[in-house]
Amino acid sequence: MRMDIKMIRSDKRIRSLSAQVVDGEIIVRAPAHLSDAELAPLVARLVARIERRAARATLDDDALEARARELNRQYFGGKLRWQSVRWVTNQERRHGSCTPADGTIRISHRVVKMPRFVQDYVLVHELAHLLEPNHSPRFWRAVNRYPRTERARGYLMAVGLEEVEE
């Protein structure tokens, strides 16, 4: 979710920056003496934090868990077990991760904006790690149970989230 940013500079502010959302706009208050170049990285961090919070508020872990259960039933015969499946906002380079040792699956908030078949692929990919913790041929056989794997991987490659195997 991209929000407009309004910058308010003040001679009264000496060091601190603050940001808040008002009517769907991010209001940033900053010291007047800071240059645009000095402010840019600071504002970017503040805005990213606010946008992560906003994204997190719209993510439905219960729906994600229910979808994982359905995909488990469809493609793994309902045999897989895990402790949690949830959305996270701290994965910028990955679309998901699985820790088989403790049964946790985390899916990047960026995936929520992608087509349903890509979301399902990401979930199937992470569920398959519960069977095989690496990317071995056995792992890929499990992932390829999902009929749209190739299409979804192509989509992720196009948006730069899937590594191209050479």
Side-chain angles (χ1 to χ4, degrees), residues 133-145:
N134 51 43
H135 289 111
S136 67
R138 182 173 174 230
F139 166 82
W140 286 111
R141 280 192 299 276
V143 171
N144 286 326
R145 294 173 188 172

Side-chain angles (χ1 to χ4, degrees), residues 91-104:
Q91 290 185 349
E92 295 302 322
R93 290 192 170 84
R94 297 174 150 192
H95 41 78
S97 63
C98 175
T99 307
D102 65 11
T104 58

Side-chain angles (χ1 to χ4, degrees), residues 11-25:
D11 289 325
K12 292 180 182 179
R13 281 187 179 267
I14 297 173
R15 290 185 288 181
S16 66
L17 254 67
S18 70
Q20 67 185 82
V21 177
V22 177
D23 297 328
E25 182 177 53

Side-chain angles (χ1 to χ4, degrees), residues 16-85:
S16 66
L17 254 67
S18 70
Q20 67 185 82
V21 177
V22 177
D23 297 328
E25 182 177 53
I26 299 174
I27 307 295
V28 177
R29 298 180 189 282
H33 67 85
L34 292 178
S35 70
D36 288 347
E38 292 171 311
L39 275 176
L42 302 171
V43 170
R45 279 201 312 268
L46 280 173
V47 168
R49 185 180 314 147
I50 287 171
E51 289 177 343
R52 275 194 308 273
R53 283 186 196 142
R56 193 170 33 243
T58 64
L59 301 176
D60 184 350
D61 288 343
D62 292 336
L64 185 66
E65 173 84 28
R67 189 65 186 151
R69 283 193 306 271
E70 175 59 24
L71 294 169
N72 179 30
R73 189 189 61 70
Q74 276 185 288
Y75 301 110
F76 301 98
K79 296 176 183 171
L80 301 179
R81 299 288 176 257
W82 58 83
Q83 290 300 308
S84 67
V85 177

Side-chain angles (χ1 to χ4, degrees), residues 122-133:
V122 170
L123 273 169
V124 168
H125 181 108
E126 300 310 330
L127 288 168
H129 279 304
L130 295 170
L131 292 173
E132 195 67 34

